[in-house]
Amino acid sequence: MTGNTTFTMIKPDAFEAGNTGLILNKIIENGFKIKALRLTYLRKDNAEAFYAVHKDRPFFNSLVEFMSSGPIVAAILEKENAVEDFRKLIGATNPADAADGTIRKLFAASIQYNAVHGSDSDENAMIEANFFFNQFDRH
Ligand code: ATP
Ligand code: MG
């Protein structure tokens, strides 16, 4: 049994480029229901905590700088098989490898500036949703 909730962020590059509306529309068109939505910022310490799993990777500092460089839009999404279906919709981490029609193929500029985040497991979806929506409560 897979869960029906995932978490996404529209990253600072996509927000700055004015692509928030187009990306949200693409998400909705693909059958996801927006359960919570928030325009906010990550401070550096927030970004370090959110991406702590990557702390030993060579791109970590650059990733933290990027993710704290401007507004982000955080959202909780609901759909059957949400985590897997959303990862499919966003496409590969590197937009050069992302399939046609995926959000990263359409809106990402590079492996770092890749427009959106998508949770990679049901467990992380809950952790990440709670990171931005403290009082998250599913109705
Ligand atoms: P996300 O977790 O943001 O949904 P992902 O799961 O596809 O992306 P991860 O391996 O978790 O990819 O990497 C997290 C983020 O770190 C990537 O989305 C990207 O912004 C950045 N990143 C990953 N690999 C590289 C790299 N080789 N060089 C620069 N930045 C990278
Ligand atoms: Mg990831």
Side-chain angles (χ1 to χ4, degrees):
M1 248 315 260
T2 59
N4 62 358
T5 297
T6 193
F7 170 81
T8 188
M9 264 190 284
I10 296 173
K11 296 185 180 184
D13 58 328
F15 182 86
E16 173 63 24
N19 289 326
T20 299
L22 290 170
I23 291 172
L24 289 176
N25 196 45
K26 187 109 188 119
I27 290 170
I28 294 162
E29 273 174 5
N30 279 272
F32 293 86
K33 189 166 177 188
I34 296 174
K35 300 297 284 184
L37 186 67
R38 182 173 172 207
L39 172 64
T40 185
Y41 295 83
L42 288 171
R43 293 190 315 259
K44 266 179 116 173
D45 59 317
N46 301 137
E48 282 166 5
F50 189 87
Y51 280 115
V53 64
H54 295 310
K55 67 179 175 351
D56 296 326
R57 307 284 285 277
F59 58 81
F60 182 68
N61 288 341
S62 167
L63 174 61
V64 166
E65 284 293 332
F66 163 50
M67 289 303 298
S68 58
S69 68
I72 60 105
V73 175
I76 294 168
L77 305 176
E78 195 170 274
K79 182 185 185 292
E80 218 173 88
N81 200 35
V83 166
E84 191 186 342
D85 285 5
F86 192 69
R87 296 284 296 193
K88 218 174 276 171
L89 176 61
I90 67 179
T93 307
N94 187 343
D97 303 327
D100 283 347
T102 59
I103 291 174
R104 283 171 169 165
K105 183 71 167 194
L106 290 166
F107 299 109
S110 70
I111 192 167
Q112 176 168 273
Y113 300 117
N114 63 1
V116 283
H117 162 79
S119 304
D120 60 11
S121 67
D122 290 343
E123 190 193 358
N124 283 337
M126 295 315 289
I127 292 168
E128 293 170 2
N130 285 319
F131 191 94
F132 286 92
F133 301 94
N134 295 342
Q135 314 236 288
F136 176 49
D137 188 24
R138 288 172 54 216
H139 296 287

